[in-house]
Amino acid sequence: MLLGLAFGLMLGMALLFVRLARGPTIYDRALAANSLSTKVVLLIAVVSFVQQRPQWLDVALVYALIGFVSVIAVVKFLRYRAMHAPMTRPPGGAHAEIVDLESGQ
């Protein structure tokens, strides 16, 4: 049963790697990275139980904390980048057309 659980986790991790590589947006990739981190923690816990090594649960806990902090850092970075992105003007100079209308030309 635990072998089936480990196989299912690895299958889910493979699908998450695909989403991580092909995600249409950066937010999909961040979500896939977070889910992948969770599945790695679960896999470490399963292997710890099978091999009867409870000290690996400490490794899984540290990995979960690092994964959580890294996802928060990525989201903060994306939010900061979106807030401070320079305003881009559409091609063709739409702003210039408004100025021309105001000057009467």
Side-chain angles (χ1 to χ4, degrees):
M1 181 165 160
L2 291 175
L3 183 64
L5 177 64
F7 179 73
L9 283 172
M10 285 191 253
L11 179 65
M13 289 168 66
L15 293 173
L16 284 170
F17 271 121
V18 171
R19 175 55 59 196
L20 191 61
R22 296 184 55 193
T25 65
I26 192 71
Y27 300 109
D28 292 328
R29 291 179 177 160
L31 183 63
N34 189 24
S35 299
L36 186 64
S37 174
T38 302
K39 291 205 184 302
V40 167
V41 169
L42 289 172
L43 188 62
I44 291 172
V46 167
V47 170
S48 170
F49 181 76
V50 168
Q51 294 189 353
Q52 297 177 353
R53 295 182 182 256
Q55 63 269 22
W56 285 10
L57 292 176
D58 295 335
V59 173
L61 182 62
V62 169
Y63 190 85
L65 289 173
I66 289 172
F68 173 72
V69 169
S70 66
V71 166
I72 295 298
V74 167
V75 168
K76 289 267 190 184
F77 171 74
L78 292 174
R79 186 175 176 195
Y80 176 80
R81 189 175 72 174
M83 287 175 52
H84 293 90
M87 296 289 290
T88 58
R89 295 184 182 156
H95 180 70
E97 292 173 11
I98 293 172
V99 172
D100 289 341
L101 290 175
E102 288 176 356
S103 66
Q105 295 178 356

